[in-house]
């Protein structure tokens, strides 16, 4: 009976009335439900199941059921780089969100320097033995930026040979660090992220923390100049302390084909427990974009110009690192 | 506009489809189909010559036909069909002989050679998209890939020696559809499809209809050069398997390599060695040059191709393909057609 009057008890009088009209063209007299302009009779069915099953727990279960059904039937969209938006938002983001908010309590500065759309290139320092800084960079953009842009990180060759990790990295929209992919993505107007230090940065000993390493061959500057994409320097403070690498056991690394084999105070001493990263305090700062469209396109063949830009990016990141390190009380606060 | 077209490998599915398209074009005077085995379909205008392209006598066929266009589709993609020795003989020696005959011919104006995107290889550090000018970063491991690279080398050599001939090399992505039978379609037809644990690569297909259309355009129009023939975008292997209505069976990497090395060790695992690296690391080619030059948008996406493949498998379950009695064939076609009609009715456009 859509027009039956239902008197609900125990509600405050300032609660608003239902916005629907009854079948007799009179305004409905029922109180509206919380968070909706309609009463429980006129509530649109699509936004929830009526009656006893509208409890949030049930809804969540049915949402999960739909999600699983879609996944099992292959009914989802994946872009041509392998970015699976649904999986990233529903599964991966909640996992990294916990680390981001609770574990490392990441603080973000200068997010307004990141454009909502590319082409733009984020260049960041790299540290922490395992690439957690990459995951946190992506999470920061998803959670803090008003437009939640998807940043495409360029991962080193080795990453793509690792089972599961390579799979998830692809699903999160990242790709191989090579000129072809970087160019292709920037030309498509994507937001691309690079760690120019590469393994030299992520695998450096704890004693050299927050000291930027040499910037590879500077290929990232070349593609930025070629496409005219601005370079956004990014400094990540905190990732250095998650696994303080006191020794790099090279013989074992060479045997296993790794670029380094970290010995930390807890790993391999405590076994898998030693793999738990320390809960340091993180600060991620995005600096002002460094424009590259002021240079002519031909500048990409001029190594001196490229070195100059590369040095400028490096200096900016180093300065931001020192500044943010000063503002942090200690490792954990 | 070509007048006399010679197609090698006409009994293979791409040859059949291409011949059907060429037959419909009245401006073409003659279509000559060459293959060792007779085609499974009847043609109105196509003349079938049962000949071996490896035999020097073949050049007589070319001379007698005075063909101005040669379309070389007689490339065997997997060892499963005839064994490795025969495969290599056909692919490498056959192409050599064919191109040698073409070089001698004075009537020839155009040569189209079928190749594969497998020439790019499948490695973890590969770029997301292969453009035509990129070359592979490692030495090839699969026999098909080695053959395709050799075929391309011979074709390029031929192009250098006869610069007056328009040479087109078409690199096809994995062809999938309702009639095609190749290594990937057999792999995807298993009830539980083995995959490599921890890897979900991007793979790419081209629907057989689009593949035939691209070949047709290369035959009719002049497009010298190398072209990737592939559908738009890419699809994760896991999604392709789910869309094909199959289950995924992730297997530890060593077991997969072992199953490849020691065939028959795990009979329930059918991972053809030609695609073993592709199912671990994937491969996607950039089709923009083809779209630009041919002015041709593939009608089917990668997932559409998988879908068509699934429909065929469904129809097969109703009518088994084992016997070749014509009434059964008609019946099968009827079932497939009706299913497609019903699907078209059901999906609102």
């Amino acid at each position: 009976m859509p027009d039956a009057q239902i008197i609900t008890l125990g509600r405050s009088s300032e609660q608003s009335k239902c916005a629907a009209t009854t079948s007799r063209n009179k305004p409905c007299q029922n109180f509206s439900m919380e968070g909706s302009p309609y009463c429980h009779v006129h509530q649109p069915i699509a936004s929830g199941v009526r009656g006893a099953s509208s409890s949030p727990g049930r809804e969540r279960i049915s949402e999960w059921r739909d999600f699983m059904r879609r996944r099992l039937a292959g009914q989802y969209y994946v872009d041509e780089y392998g970015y699976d938006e649904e999986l990233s938002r529903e599964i991966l983001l909640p996992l990294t969100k916990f680390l981001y908010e609770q574990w490392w309590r990441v603080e973000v500065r200068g997010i307004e320097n990141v454009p909502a759309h590319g082409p733009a290139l984020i260049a960041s320092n790299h540290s922490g033995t395992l690439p957690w800084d990459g995951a946190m960079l992506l999470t920061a953009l998803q959670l803090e930026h008003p437009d939640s842009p998807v940043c495409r990180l360029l991962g080193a060759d080795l990453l793509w040979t690792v089972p599961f990790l390579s799979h998830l990295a692809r699903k999160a929209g990242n790709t191989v660090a090579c000129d072809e992919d970087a160019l292709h993505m920037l030309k498509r107007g994507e937001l691309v992220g690079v760690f120019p230090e590469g393994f030299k940065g992520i695998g450096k000993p704890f004693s050299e923390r927050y000291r930027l390493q040499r910037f590879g061959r500077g290929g990232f500057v070349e593609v930025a100049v070629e496409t005219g994409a601005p370079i956004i320097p990014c400094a990540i403070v905190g990732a250095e302390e998650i696994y303080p690498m006191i020794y790099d056991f090279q013989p074992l690394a060479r045997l296993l084909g790794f670029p380094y084999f970290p010995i930390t105070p807890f790993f391999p001493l405590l076994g898998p427990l030693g793999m738990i990263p320390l809960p340091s305090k993180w600060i991620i700062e995005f600096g002002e974009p460094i424009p590259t469209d002021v240079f002519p396109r031909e500048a990409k063949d001029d190594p001196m110009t490229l070195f100059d830009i590369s040095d400028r990016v490096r200096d900016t990141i180093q300065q931001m690192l020192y500044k943010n390190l000063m503002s942090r009380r200690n490792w954990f606060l | 506009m070509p007048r006399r077209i010679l197609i090698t490998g006409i009994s293979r599915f791409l040859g059949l489809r291409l011949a059907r398209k060429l037959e419909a074009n009245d401006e073409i005077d003659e279509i000559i189909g060459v293959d060792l085995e007779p085609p499974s379909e009847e043609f109105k205008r196509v003349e079938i010559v049962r000949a071996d392209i490896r035999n020097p006598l073949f050049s007589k066929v070319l001379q007698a036909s005075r063909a101005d266009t040669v379309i070389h589709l007689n490339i065997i993609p997997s060892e499963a069909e005839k064994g490795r020795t025969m495969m290599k003989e056909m692919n490498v020696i056959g192409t050599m002989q064919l191109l040698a005959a073409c070089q001698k011919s004075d009537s020839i104006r155009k040569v189209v050679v079928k190749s594969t995107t497998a020439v790019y290889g499948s490695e973890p550090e590969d770029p997301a998209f292969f453009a035509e000018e990129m070359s592979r970063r490692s030495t090839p491991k699969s026999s098909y890939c080695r053959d395709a690279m050799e075929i391309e080398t011979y074709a390029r050599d031929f192009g250098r020696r006869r610069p007056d001939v328009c040479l087109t090399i078409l690199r096809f992505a994995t062809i999938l559809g309702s009639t095609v039978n190749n290594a990937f379609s057999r792999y995807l037809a298993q009830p539980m499809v083995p995959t490599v644990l921890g890897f979900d690569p991007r793979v790419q297909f081209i629907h057989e209809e689009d593949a035939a259309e691209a070949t047709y355009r290369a035959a009719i129009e002049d497009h010298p050069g190398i072209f990737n023939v592939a559908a738009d975008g890419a699809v994760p292997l896991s999604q392709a398997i789910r869309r094909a209505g199959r289950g995924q069976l992730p297997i530890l990497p060593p077991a997969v390599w072992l199953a490849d090395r020691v065939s028959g060790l795990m009979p329930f695992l059918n991972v053809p060695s030609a695609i073993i690296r592709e199912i671990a690391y994937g491969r996607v080619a950039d089709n923009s040059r083809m779209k630009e030059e041919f002015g041709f948008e593939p009608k089917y996406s990668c997932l559409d191709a998988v879908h068509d493949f699934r429909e065929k498998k469904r129809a097969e379950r109703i009518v088994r393909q084992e016997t070749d009695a014509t009434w059964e064939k008609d019946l099968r076609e009827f079932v497939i057609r009706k299913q497609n009609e019903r699907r078209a009715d059901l999906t609102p456009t």
Side-chain angles (χ1 to χ4, degrees):
Chain A
M1 296 292 278
D3 53 350
Q5 278 206 14
I6 293 169
I7 296 143
T8 34
L9 299 170
R11 300 233 177 157
S12 58
S13 56
E14 59 266 285
Q15 203 180 0
S16 60
K17 292 281 173 70
C18 175
T21 42
T22 65
S23 54
R24 288 181 194 160
N25 287 324
K26 286 179 186 167
C28 174
Q29 291 299 310
N30 290 343
F31 289 116
S32 65
M33 300 210 331
E34 275 174 86
S36 156
Y38 298 106
C39 68
H40 68 277
V41 177
H42 292 113
Q43 184 76 16
I45 296 169
S47 69
V49 190
R50 261 196 254 169
S53 63
S54 68
S55 65
R58 285 276 182 94
E59 247 171 57
R60 212 193 241 157
I61 289 171
S62 81
E63 260 171 37
W64 261 100
R65 209 177 45 209
D66 287 350
F67 176 78
M68 288 313 290
R69 197 177 290 151
R70 272 200 309 279
R71 300 302 304 187
L72 284 177
Q75 299 290 344
Y76 49 88
Y77 174 72
V78 179
D79 89 349
E80 47 190 348
Y81 286 102
Y83 171 56
D84 188 336
E85 186 180 351
E86 192 182 51
L87 186 85
S88 301
R89 282 193 205 273
E90 305 286 329
I91 306 283
L92 300 180
L93 188 61
L95 292 176
T96 52
K97 195 179 169 183
F98 163 77
L99 289 168
Y100 182 87
E101 286 176 347
Q102 317 291 325
W103 198 253
W104 288 313
R105 295 144 287 135
V106 183
E107 197 181 317
V108 169
R109 294 171 186 170
I111 192 87
E112 66 282 353
N113 288 323
V114 183
H117 306 286
L121 193 68
I122 298 177
S124 167
N125 62 320
H126 207 12
S127 55
T129 311
L130 289 180
W132 282 114
D133 48 355
M136 288 303 110
L137 178 63
L138 299 182
T139 315
L141 290 168
Q142 284 290 311
L143 296 179
E144 313 281 348
H145 197 283
D147 296 293
S148 300
V150 180
C151 178
R152 315 293 196 130
L153 296 181
L154 303 179
D157 293 358
L158 187 77
L159 168 75
W160 305 102
T161 63
V162 183
F164 298 106
L165 194 60
S166 63
H167 167 183
L168 291 178
R170 270 273 180 229
K171 290 287 150 77
N174 309 309
T175 191
V176 182
C178 60
D179 291 354
E180 293 96 347
D181 280 16
L183 267 177
H184 197 274
M185 285 190 155
L186 285 174
K187 279 182 184 158
R188 267 186 23 153
E190 303 279 352
L191 189 60
V192 178
V194 283
F195 297 104
E197 292 171 277
F199 285 120
K200 296 186 297 298
I202 193 168
K204 64 180 176 292
F206 191 60
S207 54
E208 287 181 34
R209 59 187 180 278
Y210 298 115
R211 229 168 281 159
L212 272 185
Q213 303 296 302
R214 186 172 62 80
F215 270 13
R217 273 149 293 181
F220 76 104
V221 184
E222 196 181 319
V223 291
V225 170
E226 193 172 344
T227 54
I231 299 173
I232 301 157
C234 170
I236 299 176
V237 165
E240 297 274 17
E241 290 92 6
I242 60 174
Y243 302 109
M245 181 160 105
I246 44 180
Y247 186 68
D248 175 10
F249 194 55
Q250 268 296 326
L252 194 55
R254 239 171 285 145
L255 190 70
L256 297 171
F258 299 158
Y260 49 88
F261 190 89
I263 308 290
T264 74
F266 312 104
F267 181 84
L269 198 63
L270 299 183
L273 275 180
M275 301 267 282
I276 299 173
L278 296 181
S280 54
K281 165 77 182 168
W282 285 37
I283 300 168
I284 299 180
E285 179 172 359
F286 297 97
E288 285 203 14
I290 297 167
T292 58
D293 50 1
V294 294
F295 303 99
R297 289 280 149 100
E298 299 80 61
K300 79 177 172 68
D301 297 320
D302 174 15
M304 274 331 276
T305 318
L306 299 183
F307 282 137
D308 279 352
I309 306 173
S310 179
D311 279 347
R312 206 176 135 197
V313 175
R314 197 169 174 276
D315 284 348
T316 317
I317 298 174
Q318 185 71 74
Q319 293 310 318
M320 287 199 295
L321 280 175
Y322 287 145
K323 192 186 75 189
N324 288 332
L325 265 176
M326 301 280 278
S327 71
R328 201 173 60 154
R329 250 189 295 166
N330 59 37
W331 291 11
F332 299 107
L333 281 173
Chain B
M1 185 58 116
R3 314 302 287 200
R4 288 174 295 276
I5 297 184
L6 187 140
I7 307 171
T8 70
I10 193 153
S11 303
R12 312 186 73 82
F13 68 93
L14 193 59
L16 288 173
R17 286 204 164 226
L18 176 68
R20 282 258 170 273
K21 277 178 178 287
L22 291 170
E23 237 184 5
N25 189 333
D26 291 332
E27 284 179 57
I28 295 160
D29 294 338
E30 275 176 59
I31 307 164
I32 302 121
V34 180
D35 208 319
L36 268 177
E37 287 137 39
S40 55
E41 292 173 28
E42 297 270 315
F43 290 104
K44 284 195 291 291
R45 289 175 53 207
V46 181
E47 287 175 69
I48 304 295
V49 183
R50 287 185 67 178
D52 189 341
I53 53 168
R54 288 172 300 164
N55 196 312
L57 266 177
F58 174 75
S59 64
K60 295 268 187 287
V61 176
L62 197 66
Q63 260 170 18
S65 66
R66 295 200 48 77
D68 52 20
T69 300
V70 170
I71 300 172
H72 182 36
L73 304 177
N74 196 11
I75 291 169
I76 299 168
S78 84
E79 293 169 21
E81 269 178 61
K82 291 189 174 106
R84 174 64 188 144
T85 321
M86 187 62 176
M87 174 185 168
K88 187 168 179 178
E89 279 272 302
M90 268 300 184
N91 289 348
V92 180
I93 308 298
T95 307
M96 264 177 94
Q97 291 282 358
L98 174 78
L99 292 173
C102 288
Q103 200 178 325
K104 278 263 176 268
S105 162
D106 46 9
S107 59
I108 201 111
R109 293 284 160 268
K110 188 194 292 179
V111 173
V112 179
V113 176
K114 178 187 182 232
S115 180
T116 162
T117 57
V119 295
Y120 298 121
S122 292
E123 298 301 325
E125 68 274 8
D126 280 344
F129 295 96
F130 277 108
E132 284 83 351
E133 59 274 6
M134 291 181 198
S135 54
R136 58 177 305 133
R137 297 178 170 195
S138 58
T139 50
K141 292 192 178 70
S142 92
S143 47
Y144 181 35
C145 173
R146 279 203 302 268
D147 285 3
M149 286 177 82
E150 271 190 74
I151 289 167
E152 283 199 12
T153 313
Y154 292 136
R156 276 195 292 264
D157 286 349
F158 167 77
R160 250 201 322 277
R161 288 188 211 117
R162 286 289 301 266
D164 56 314
V165 174
C166 166
L167 172 71
T168 309
I169 297 175
L170 299 176
R171 287 179 180 159
F172 289 93
T174 307
I175 305 178
L176 216 56
S178 54
T179 62
V180 59
N181 179 16
N182 57 23
F184 212 102
S185 77
R186 286 191 293 274
Y187 163 75
L188 213 52
Q190 303 170 86
M192 290 300 275
V193 183
T195 58
V196 185
L197 184 72
F199 290 93
D200 188 13
R202 294 149 64 245
V203 290
Q204 191 181 34
F205 305 109
I206 176 89
H207 191 272
E208 52 188 31
E209 186 61 48
D210 286 330
E213 178 65 25
T215 321
Y216 176 72
R217 287 186 188 217
I220 296 296
E221 302 153 10
D222 279 359
H223 299 296
I226 305 176
F227 299 93
N228 291 333
V229 182
D232 285 330
V235 43
L237 182 62
S238 64
Q239 194 181 18
I241 291 171
R242 303 301 330 181
R243 283 288 183 95
R246 310 284 142 171
Q248 203 179 339
L249 185 68
I251 292 174
L252 278 171
V256 181
W257 309 133
L258 206 64
D260 175 41
R261 293 265 174 272
V262 194
S263 59
L265 185 70
M266 283 170 256
F268 56 95
L269 284 186
N270 173 18
V271 187
S273 58
I275 60 166
I276 197 153
R277 291 192 80 76
E278 192 181 352
I279 63 158
Y281 303 122
R283 176 194 325 121
V284 180
D286 183 354
N287 64 359
S288 50
R289 186 189 286 183
M290 171 197 75
K291 282 159 76 176
E292 230 167 79
E293 264 275 333
F294 286 47
F296 162 57
E297 288 284 329
K299 263 189 268 169
Y300 297 81
S301 70
C302 290
L303 281 177
D304 292 340
V306 176
H307 190 265
D308 237 36
F309 166 77
R310 179 186 187 162
E311 290 304 305
K312 165 216 175 191
K313 289 287 157 200
R314 253 193 213 150
E316 269 177 15
R317 246 176 290 157
I318 303 169
V319 183
R320 291 270 160 209
Q321 210 178 358
E322 276 143 20
T323 52
D324 265 322
T326 42
W327 66 269
E328 284 202 339
K329 209 174 145 197
D330 290 347
L331 192 58
R332 194 169 63 240
E333 271 165 18
F334 174 80
V335 172
I336 293 176
R337 202 180 69 233
K338 281 293 160 195
Q339 275 192 344
N340 283 341
E341 278 171 19
R342 285 204 42 206
R343 199 173 78 235
D345 288 345
L346 286 175
T347 46
T349 43

